[in-house]
Amino acid sequence: VGGIKEKLLAAHRAGIFEIIMPEENERDLKEIPEEIKNIMEFHFVQRMDNVLNIMFGIGEPKPVSLSSPKNRPASERKHKRN
């Protein structure tokens, strides 16, 4: 992501103090004044699921086996009647 300094300064002016940004851009923080960095909270992420976890508390997705009848859509399940 480019223009990190400008984006962070604009976020600070707008009252945004918690930032999620790509891990590769952590090095760009050297351009930000210390007094601004000290009052902001930074989250450095590698993947979108990391963003979702930070924002919504959504963890890593668990694999689902469609071979189990309970995991199939209701329209595809075969119901047994006794």
Side-chain angles (χ1 to χ4, degrees), residues 69 77-82:
R77 293 183 200 151
K78 294 181 183 177
H79 297 283
K80 288 186 178 180
R81 295 189 182 199
N82 294 336

Side-chain angles (χ1 to χ4, degrees), residues 38-70:
N38 290 337
I39 61 172
M40 298 183 93
E41 182 177 351
F42 296 92
H43 302 274
F44 300 99
V45 297
Q46 293 178 346
R47 301 185 330 233
M48 189 62 193
D49 60 332
N50 301 133
V51 174
L52 296 174
N53 192 352
I54 293 164
M55 292 182 64
F56 304 113
I58 299 173
E60 300 253 340
K62 294 187 168 75
V64 174
S65 170
L66 291 179
S67 62
S68 172
K70 70 177 185 175

Side-chain angles (χ1 to χ4, degrees), residues 18-31:
E18 189 167 1
I19 307 295
I20 301 172
M21 57 193 280
E23 209 171 67
E24 304 96 48
N25 291 104
E26 186 172 1
R27 67 181 180 270
D28 296 324
L29 289 183
K30 67 181 180 288
E31 302 174 19

